[in-house]
Amino acid sequence: GGGGGPPSRSGCLSRAATALGSSLHFPPSATLSFLLQDTYANPHLRSWNRVHLPYCSQDLWTGQRTVRSRETFDYYFSGHLIVDAVLTHLERHSDLGAARRIILTGESAGGIGVWPHLDWLAQRYPRATVVGAPIAGFYFYAHPYTGPGHTASHLADFREAAWPGHYALWQSFVDESCAAAFPTAPWRCLLSNSSWPYVSSRAFVSEALSDKVVLTAHDWVPASQDPDWSPHVLRYLSQWQGTTSAALAP
């Protein structure tokens, strides 16, 4: 699941009473229409077991907080612990431990959360081939649009200076090899633009050159201009696309 991350009291409060803030607000059941069982539309994966984890931790699936405090705005940030607990449950109540192929996927915040968990998952299930399929989860530091009509972030601040604070607030779990490469700055490993060279497991990345959610929610581009973008915004979008292309280059 996706949905960004709001590392502020107001951001948390706005989501606390929704499905983005607590499993208490999840529906009792859901139809996973995006994981089709149709033979024609999904011939190779239709018979696979599927596990869907809705996103409610607001920490890009990396949090390891077990105690609420003033520091955490009286909330838990336990995304990684949720993943761990679900896997433990499945190991006890299904044959997950006998799996031979595992695909870890997610979009937006869920896509970001794929990267720190790939090699961890492969180590947990050494008999399985573990691969990632992050969707809209290959992120780099934000350099927001500051031209005429710019807005402000209403999701997590993705500028480089903000990430040490996010890492500390969430007590984030990150890729082990990446953290070893950045011993004084493990927070860098929260974003795949830094972590992917250290991730051994294979991944198929799906990423738009222009991610409207990121551009308008994190990078201050005025959504009100869509589709009649100003020349200033168009120049920014062109630069943004170039940065994405460079980040994804092999």
Side-chain angles (χ1 to χ4, degrees):
S8 67
R9 175 176 288 278
S10 61
C12 290
L13 185 61
S14 68
R15 290 164 171 77
T18 74
L20 287 173
S22 172
S23 60
L24 294 174
H25 305 288
F26 289 175
S29 62
T31 300
L32 305 182
S33 57
F34 51 87
L35 294 173
L36 297 176
Q37 292 183 294
D38 180 81
T39 301
Y40 177 77
N42 190 18
H44 300 296
L45 303 180
R46 68 180 183 84
S47 63
W48 285 42
N49 295 311
R50 302 156 174 84
V51 180
H52 174 54
L53 275 63
Y55 181 54
C56 66
S57 58
Q58 297 301 311
D59 55 11
L60 307 179
W61 290 104
T62 69
Q64 301 181 92
R65 290 281 187 176
T66 58
V67 177
R68 297 184 300 174
S69 68
R70 291 183 62 184
E71 183 185 6
T72 66
F73 321 122
D74 203 33
Y75 292 105
Y76 296 100
F77 296 99
S78 305
H80 170 68
L81 302 181
I82 292 171
V83 176
D84 181 66
V86 169
L87 293 177
T88 298
H89 177 85
L90 292 172
E91 289 163 0
R92 292 172 178 170
H93 300 283
S94 76
D95 60 353
L96 175 60
R100 290 292 182 267
R101 289 177 291 178
I102 299 174
I103 299 175
L104 182 62
T105 187
E107 62 174 321
S108 190
I112 296 175
V114 165
W115 294 98
H117 289 98
L118 265 181
D119 285 355
W120 173 79
L121 198 65
Q123 292 170 10
R124 186 164 180 149
Y125 303 106
R127 292 191 295 177
T129 298
V130 176
V131 299
I135 302 168
F138 198 96
Y139 280 64
F140 43 83
Y141 300 130
H143 298 276
Y145 168 70
T146 56
H150 75 81
T151 57
S153 299
H154 66 265
L155 292 179
D157 187 348
F158 274 17
R159 290 174 292 181
E160 183 173 359
W163 287 97
H166 300 341
Y167 180 87
L169 173 64
W170 301 330
Q171 292 186 348
S172 290
F173 172 86
V174 296
D175 177 77
E176 185 178 66
S177 298
C178 182
F182 296 102
T184 61
W187 51 268
R188 292 185 180 276
C189 303
L190 282 165
L191 292 184
S192 56
N193 197 36
S194 294
S195 68
W196 75 264
Y198 306 98
V199 175
S200 300
S201 302
R202 293 183 298 167
F204 184 89
V205 177
S206 300
E207 193 73 27
L209 288 180
S210 297
D211 188 319
K212 185 178 177 181
V213 173
V214 177
L215 287 164
T216 58
H218 293 288
D219 286 351
W220 306 3
V221 170
S224 59
Q225 290 190 13
D226 186 18
D228 300 314
W229 306 109
S230 71
H232 294 90
V233 170
L234 288 174
R235 281 195 295 272
Y236 177 82
L237 295 180
S238 178
Q239 294 170 351
W240 205 89
Q241 291 173 344
T243 301
T244 303
S245 296
L248 292 171

